[in-house]
Structures are given as structure tokens and as C-alpha cells.
Amino acid sequence: MSGRVVRPEQCPDTSVEVLQRRLERERGARLEAEAIAERATRELYDTVQQLTRSTRLAELLGEVAVRANEASSVEEAMRTVLDSVCHYTGWPVGHALIRSADDPDTLVSLGVWRLPETGEFAALRAASEPQVFRSGWGLPGHTMRLGRPVWIADLLTEPLFRRQEAAGRCGLVSAFALPILVRNETHGVLEFFSAIAQQPDAELIRVAGFVGVQLGRVLERQQAEDRLRRLALYDSLTGLPNRLLLMDRLQSTLSRAWRLGARVDLLYLDVDDFKTINDSLGHTAGDGLLVAFAARLQQALHDCVGLAVADSTVARVEGDEFAVILEDCPDPRAVATRLEELLSRPLTLADGEAFLSVSVGSAHASDADRHTTGESLVARAHLAMDEAKRKGKGHFETFEPRLYERAHRRHQLGEELHRAVVAREFEIAYQPVARLADDRHIGAEALVRWRHPRTGLVLPGDFIARAEETGLIVTIGSWVLEQACRQAAAWRATEPEFTIAVNVSGRQLREGSFPDMVRAALADAGLPPQNLCLEMTESILMERDDAGIAMLCELRNEGVHLAIDDFGTGYSSLSALRRLPADQLKIDRSFVSSLPEDDDAGTIAWAVVRLGHTLGMSVLAEGVETVQQRKALLGFGCDHAQGWLFGRPMPAAELGQALVQAAGR
Ligand code: C2E
Ligand code: MG
Ligand code: MG
């Protein structure tokens, strides 16, 4: 370096002026740099602000999604969303509205609010809750119609806002509302109010749109659950509460009754002979009948409210069984009698009229027995109804403890029968059937017996009905058939025309496999079908639909004989008799026992013989105990007879001996 100093006066380009200009330039550059830095700082700040805001908005959305989804009801979901949005915006008031159930084009308050506890916004609440907001009307209606958020910066001057007076009184200035959208349709609206003027906030409006969609999903889920609950609690055919809802209502009615010291009665109704009606009309018509009956029951109960029933519920328990809860009813018997009367009036259906009757059982729970549960009350009323049914059609019975004992015995009998089937405790007694002309044993009836290990011999009258109810008769019946066929095949060696008669119950015929079971028993035993006669009562035959009758006709065409048992005790309908594919009429013992003294019984027996012969059937008289009876029947032209006169039901070996002896004579 040279160390030469340059003075300003020596250098023309470094004059003061130039220096000043340079300094100014430098200051300008510095200022500009500072401004740039400041702008950059501001921009950075704004970005951070915006990011924070966006993060908070994103958090709000996330919170809404989670909390609304966790809510157990629409109300709770709305409340949590109102809370979150108010908390985020700092706005003090939030209100939820929902589409009216009566008119989907209107909104009504859901009664769910976010309000400070001070009560300062009560006027807005009072003006909003009774109001119906038609689509397009007021802030909620407008939001509904648009299907997107609406912002009102100044409530007092905005004409679409209708609750100005109330808002003014509360000091509210701005509002915004968001629609709750389910598949693009507005199903509800949330509105928020601010006491400070607020300009539209594009970001918040955007987020509000998402919140509405999110809530819509919750609402949709809730609506689906409501539908499911309805399906679970109401009977889909009649629309009446089902058993589940009945039990629920019954339980709360009982709790209320205990609190108030009131009484609760339960009526259990069962339509008489519904199964027969259903089978003969067909299931679609049967359903129609049940619907008409349910409507009639509701109407009838409504009419009975005049008999001072405080409250009532009708439910369809199952099939043709209905229940009625009567709360604090002073005279349930009067209600039941009146119901029976109203329900027996003709029901008008699409294709004619139907006449029904009902059997009614009742049970009551009073303050005195607080351990009564809904279940036990239903069980008692059901037992009473069973008792009413046992007495015939259109009866009314009140529950009594003795019905429990009977039910208990029936239950025990069912259990015992199960055990007996497994332990093979059944045997067969054979009662000979004689030809009246020569008293020759031309066949026998197989009659089942139960050799009980403790109580000894049990006759069918004491267990067949229960075996039918439990379905065990199907197993017992097929065993009897198999055994009887085998036995008959053996006896055919002595008496080639020997016919074995086997009793068949309705329950067995309902099994689609019945004809095959018969064929298998015959094949197994090597017995020709002509040597088998199936006995069934008239009512069992009457209950069969066309397919059931066709099934029997098929067996008959194959050679199996069919007999109508206990004739005269059932419908004895002549037109139906022509339809039934029978070969033999068995005159019931009740017409034979008073012969020959009773002229009427004699006339009936004579007429039945004529009737049977006219229809091409043979006629057998049951329960013939005396020579006089035999003579009278022979006089009427009766073909066969069965009874103590010819032989009591006996073990196979005994009858076998009798057959051998007779053949030797
Ligand atoms: P049912 O088919 O009418 O049988 C005739 C009943 O009358 C038998 O009663 C028989 O013992 C009785 N009896 C016969 N002759 C006389 C008589 O001269 N005087 C009197 N007082 N009674 C007589 P049981 O064996 O007690 O059978 C009762 C009913 O049980 C039968 O009536 C039948 O409906 C049913 N039953 C019997 N075995 C079976 C079976 O294997 N399956 C089904 N489903 N029912 C059966
Ligand atoms: Mg019989
Ligand atoms: Mg009989």
C-alpha cells in the first residue's frame, strides 16, 4: 500500500454533494431493507397466525367429528357441536333446529341450546322455540333452502332475519347458521349468535359447511338406528308393540304402580281357532285378518277407556296372541267382557266378512305383591287364557294359583314323557275288531300304553294330549305304527284278511314325511297296505288343507284304509264328509253306550250306519259292551264292532292265542 491520502478539494468527484447523495442512497437502501424485513416479518407472522388458525379450525373439525360420532343421541351430538363451535368462535349463543316429523319442509327447535347461565338471552329462546321455520323463512329456513352456511353481519337491518325484536333485546348483533346435510338435503340447522359485530369469515364458513356434513352423518346413523329399533320393538305386520316392548312397558307400568299404590292388570287374548281359519283362508288372507283384528282391538280398547282405564297398551305377543296392559283399572273383568263382545262383531275383509271370538285370561299385580315381575304377570295371564280355552271358545278366566299347579304338572308330564321315549317305556295293547255278522275277529286296534316305572300303567287319555303338545307323539306314533305292522304281519298267517288299525294324531300328519313313514313301516314289516287302517278323528281331517287331503288320498290309492274315529263327536259336517277320503266310519262309544234303551241314540246310530253306507263306507260301532247293544247294531245294519263284549285291549300274545283258537274252531 502506498499510504497516499486523497483530500476532497483535490478530488472533483468526491465533493460534499456527491457524498450526501451517496449517504441518502445508502439510507434509502437501508430503509427499503428495513421495510422489506418488516414486511417479511409481518407476512411470516400472518402465515403463522393463519397456520395456527387453520390448525385450530382443523382441530375444531376433528373434535366435531369425534365428539359427534361418540354421542349416543342426536341431541347429545348437537349439544357437543354447539359447545365446540361456541368455544372456538367465542360466540355466546348456539341453537339446534331439526326437520319437523310432520312436515319435512319445515324446521322446529330441538330444544338444544348453548347459552350462558346468566339468562340474558332468554328472550331469543322464548321467540325461537315455539316458532315453525318454513323453508326459506327466517335465518334457519333460509339456510335450509340454500343448503349452505348463511352469515348475517347485522341482524337488526337484515330483512331475512325475523327475530329482530328478541335479538335486539338480548343485544345480539351478528349470526351465522349452517345446514345439517343428509345426502344433500337439509335435515337440521345450527345457528350461532354474537353480541359483537362480526364480518363474514370465509374460512369459518368453509369449516361450518364440513361440520354440517359431519353432523348429517350422525343424524343419518341415528335415523337408521331408529328404524332398526322400530323393527326390533314393533310387530311389522300389525304395527303394534311386540313382546319386547310389551315387557319394557309392563316393567315401567309396574314401577309406577308401586310408587302410586295403583294396580296393574294384564289381559292375554288368543283368537279362537285361528290356526284352522289361517289354514283354510291361506296365509295372506290370515295376515289380513290379523291386521284387521289388531285394528279392531285398538279401537275396542279405545272405546273401553270409558270404563275408567287410566292408561293402556296393546301388543302382539306372537301369532294370534295379544296382550293389553290396563293401568289402574277398577274393573278389568268388565273391560275383558266388553272387549270380547266388541271383538266378536263381524270383521269386514277384502273378500267378505269374518267372525272371530277370543279367549281371554287376566292376571293382576297389586301393591301387596311387589315381587311380581312383568314376566310373571304375562305367564299368569297366559295360564288363565289357557284355562279359558280349555273351557271352550269366547271364555274369560282370571288367574288363580291352582293354575300354576296344573301347569307344573303338565310341564313335569312333558319331562317324564321325554324320559319315557328314551327309556322305551311304551307298549301296545290290541283290542279285537269283530265282524258283527259272525263275531269273527277280523282285525284289531293298536292302543298305546305307558308302563311308568313308578306309577304303573298309564292310559293314553292321560298322556296323548301332552305328547301332541310337545311333539313327542311323532316319535311315539311311528314306533306304534312299526310295531303294529310287524304284529299284524305275523297274525296274517292265521287270519289273512287281518286288518290292524292304528291311531294317527294331527301332529303326525303335519310332518311332510308321514306317507313315507307309513310306506317304510309297511315295507319293513312286509305287510300289504290293504291290511293297515289309519284312524283319525273328523276334526283332524277337517283341519287338513288340500295338500294334506291329497297326501292321504295318495296313501289310500296305494291300498291303505282310512277310518274316521269317534264319529259324531266333532263337526259331523255332511258336506265335509264327502270330501274326506275315508273307508270306514267309527260310531263313537257315547252313541252306543245307551243302546238299546235310548231311542235318540238308537236313531243316531241307525242314521250314521245309513250315512256311511250311502257314502260307500263300512261302519264300525265302538264300545260295544252288551249283547243287547250288539243285537241293536246288527239290526241297524252295522258292519263291525269293537268293545269289551268282544275283547278288552290285551297284550299281543293273548290276542294271538285267541286268533289261533278261533281259527281252530
Ligand atoms: P280310540 O281310538 O277311540 O280307542 C278306543 C278307546 O275306547 C280305547 O281307550 C279303548 O280301550 C276304549 N274302549 C274300547 N272298548 C271299550 C268298551 O267297551 N268300553 C269302554 N268303556 N271303553 C272301551 P284307550 O286305550 O284308553 O285309548 C283312548 C284314546 O287314546 C283312543 O281312542 C285314541 O284316540 C288314543 N290313542 C290310543 N293309542 C293311540 C296311539 O297310538 N296314537 C294316538 N295318536 N292316539 C292313541
Ligand atoms: Mg281309535
Ligand atoms: Mg274312538
Side-chain angles (χ1 to χ4, degrees):
M1 192 154 201
S2 64
R4 180 173 162 247
V5 176
V6 180
R7 294 194 191 152
E9 60 275 17
Q10 291 174 332
C11 178
D13 359 338
T14 55
S15 63
V16 173
E17 223 176 285
V18 169
L19 200 62
Q20 271 176 344
R21 266 207 309 275
R22 227 175 88 189
L23 280 173
E24 257 169 41
R25 258 204 321 271
E26 275 174 16
R27 208 180 62 220
R30 203 173 56 241
L31 280 177
E32 198 178 335
E34 275 173 12
I36 289 172
E38 199 184 305
R39 209 165 51 235
T41 313
R42 210 172 42 238
E43 271 173 13
L44 182 68
Y45 176 78
D46 281 356
T47 311
V48 169
Q49 276 279 78
Q50 219 167 347
L51 268 176
T52 318
R53 206 171 123 73
S54 297
T55 313
R56 287 188 54 217
L57 274 171
E59 272 172 16
L60 171 69
L61 253 186
E63 186 180 309
V64 163
V66 172
R67 294 183 64 193
N69 262 320
E70 281 172 354
S72 61
S73 66
V74 170
E75 284 81 359
E76 196 189 321
M78 302 281 196
R79 188 167 288 115
T80 57
V81 173
L82 291 179
D83 277 351
S84 299
V85 175
C86 286
H87 179 74
Y88 171 80
T89 54
W91 294 26
V93 182
H95 174 214
L97 298 104
I98 195 93
R99 210 160 75 157
S100 156
D102 305 327
D103 181 359
D105 221 23
T106 58
L107 290 164
V108 289
S109 172
L110 188 63
V112 174
W113 289 81
R114 166 51 151 82
L115 287 169
E117 283 181 4
T118 45
E120 58 201 287
F121 302 111
L124 181 73
R125 186 171 190 160
S128 307
E129 291 204 334
Q131 189 68 57
V132 172
F133 297 90
R134 181 152 279 290
S135 173
W137 194 86
L139 175 61
H142 202 66
T143 312
M144 179 183 214
R145 175 170 290 169
L146 290 181
R148 56 183 154 78
V150 173
W151 192 288
I152 303 177
D154 185 359
L155 289 175
L156 302 183
T157 57
E158 174 57 60
L160 78 82
F161 188 69
R162 302 298 178 126
R163 289 161 287 167
Q164 258 112 3
E165 203 208 313
R169 268 204 280 154
C170 302
L172 293 168
V173 184
S174 299
F176 85 93
L178 61 96
I180 298 168
L181 295 173
V182 176
R183 277 183 241 110
N184 287 330
E185 250 186 58
T186 307
H187 280 233
V189 162
L190 296 188
E191 54 177 5
F192 299 91
F193 296 87
S194 165
I196 303 164
Q198 305 276 0
Q199 287 312 307
D201 177 338
E203 189 87 5
L204 182 59
I205 290 174
R206 207 165 61 84
V207 168
F210 289 132
V211 168
V213 171
Q214 197 67 42
L215 263 181
R217 291 203 185 108
V218 175
L219 202 64
E220 199 177 7
R221 192 192 68 205
Q222 193 73 30
Q223 286 167 348
E225 280 174 8
D226 282 351
R227 272 196 300 276
L228 271 180
R229 202 168 303 133
R230 223 190 135 71
L231 277 178
L233 294 178
Y234 288 84
D235 167 43
S236 55
L237 181 66
T238 61
L240 289 178
N242 64 13
R243 190 191 172 92
L244 211 64
L245 188 54
L246 170 79
M247 297 318 295
D248 187 61
R249 298 232 176 121
L250 192 53
Q251 212 52 60
S252 34
T253 308
L254 284 173
S255 316
R256 195 166 45 239
W258 301 158
R259 222 176 37 247
L260 304 173
R263 64 177 275 160
V264 177
D265 287 89
L266 187 78
L267 303 182
Y268 205 105
L269 296 87
D270 185 295
V271 181
D272 294 325
D273 286 334
F274 183 73
K275 209 198 148 314
T276 315
I277 300 169
N278 203 26
D279 286 349
S280 60
L281 284 180
H283 286 241
T284 313
D287 280 355
L289 189 61
L290 280 178
V291 171
F293 178 81
R296 166 68 60 84
L297 177 57
Q298 277 176 298
Q299 182 58 46
L301 195 69
H302 185 259
D303 295 349
C304 284
V305 171
L307 295 160
V309 182
D311 197 6
S312 61
T313 297
V314 190
R316 182 179 176 210
V317 189
E318 59 176 81
D320 60 340
E321 296 177 10
F322 297 81
V324 177
I325 307 174
L326 298 176
E327 199 173 340
D328 215 10
C329 171
D331 192 355
R333 175 176 281 272
V335 173
T337 314
R338 179 90 179 111
L339 279 182
E340 279 188 322
E341 185 199 319
L342 293 170
L343 292 170
S344 63
R345 293 185 184 170
L347 266 179
T348 311
L349 299 174
D351 47 358
E353 282 190 329
F355 295 83
L356 297 180
S357 67
V358 283
S359 298
V360 185
S362 91
H364 93 272
S366 69
D367 203 23
D369 59 338
R370 290 189 169 215
H371 56 273
T372 307
T373 61
E375 285 289 349
S376 66
L377 200 60
V378 171
R380 288 183 203 173
H382 192 283
L383 279 178
M385 186 279 291
D386 276 346
E387 181 66 6
K389 270 249 170 293
R390 227 177 47 80
K391 294 196 170 165
K393 295 172 194 170
H395 272 276
F396 170 77
E397 268 311 311
T398 308
F399 171 79
E400 284 172 35
R402 72 175 169 86
L403 296 180
Y404 259 145
E405 285 154 35
R406 184 177 306 155
H408 179 67
R409 276 202 305 277
R410 274 185 52 226
H411 176 75
Q412 263 192 330
L413 181 60
E415 302 272 294
E416 287 272 278
L417 273 173
H418 266 285
R419 193 193 45 69
V421 167
V422 176
R424 298 167 187 264
E425 287 170 9
F426 298 98
E427 50 192 59
I428 302 174
Y430 295 89
Q431 182 174 39
V433 170
R435 187 161 54 202
L436 270 176
D438 56 6
D439 290 349
R440 195 178 171 83
H441 291 176
I442 49 133
E445 178 173 4
L447 296 160
V448 71
R449 268 92 184 94
W450 174 11
R451 181 78 54 187
H452 194 284
R454 218 166 359 93
T455 52
L457 196 72
V458 188
L459 289 176
D462 291 331
F463 68 88
I464 289 287
R466 188 68 190 129
E468 281 176 358
E469 285 165 6
T470 53
L472 286 170
I473 192 68
V474 177
T475 316
I476 300 172
S478 67
W479 177 81
V480 171
L481 184 72
E482 282 161 23
Q483 293 296 311
C485 285
R486 264 187 226 149
Q487 191 55 68
W491 285 332
R492 271 190 72 227
T494 353
E495 180 64 61
E497 299 302 312
F498 194 92
T499 305
I500 187 76
V502 176
N503 294 283
V504 177
S505 86
R507 184 73 186 247
Q508 283 172 277
L509 288 183
R510 257 183 270 149
E511 300 282 306
S513 55
F514 179 75
D516 288 337
M517 196 266 288
V518 174
R519 288 180 195 116
L522 288 170
D524 216 41
L527 185 73
Q530 293 73 12
N531 294 79
L532 174 67
C533 178
L534 298 176
E535 292 191 5
M536 43 211 101
T537 60
E538 213 186 338
S539 48
I540 288 176
L541 283 168
M542 294 277 294
E543 280 167 17
R544 304 271 73 76
D545 55 9
D546 290 346
I549 295 291
M551 178 182 90
L552 291 172
C553 286
E554 223 176 277
L555 280 176
R556 189 163 174 247
N557 290 340
E558 290 167 28
V560 175
H561 296 289
L562 300 180
I564 300 179
D565 205 353
D566 307 339
F567 187 74
T569 57
Y571 297 86
S572 306
S573 149
L574 300 185
S575 62
L577 203 55
R578 284 177 53 216
R579 198 181 126 232
L580 305 179
D583 307 87
Q584 188 177 63
L585 275 188
K586 293 187 80 170
I587 309 177
D588 190 66
R589 181 156 51 92
S590 53
F591 301 103
V592 176
S593 57
S594 47
L595 289 179
E597 298 82 17
D598 185 339
D599 287 345
D600 288 345
T603 310
I604 291 173
W606 172 82
V608 172
V609 173
R610 295 297 300 271
L611 178 69
H613 287 168
T614 309
L615 292 172
M617 303 181 197
S618 68
V619 180
L620 183 151
E622 294 187 286
V624 181
E625 294 179 357
T626 65
V627 183
Q628 291 83 350
Q629 285 167 352
R630 177 190 169 277
K631 199 171 154 214
L633 288 159
L634 194 60
F636 299 150
C638 187
D639 308 288
H640 305 113
Q642 196 181 329
W644 295 347
L645 181 67
F646 308 96
R648 295 199 178 218
M650 57 186 94
E654 212 174 297
L655 182 60
Q657 268 177 3
L659 287 177
V660 171
Q661 276 168 16
R665 277 202 296 267

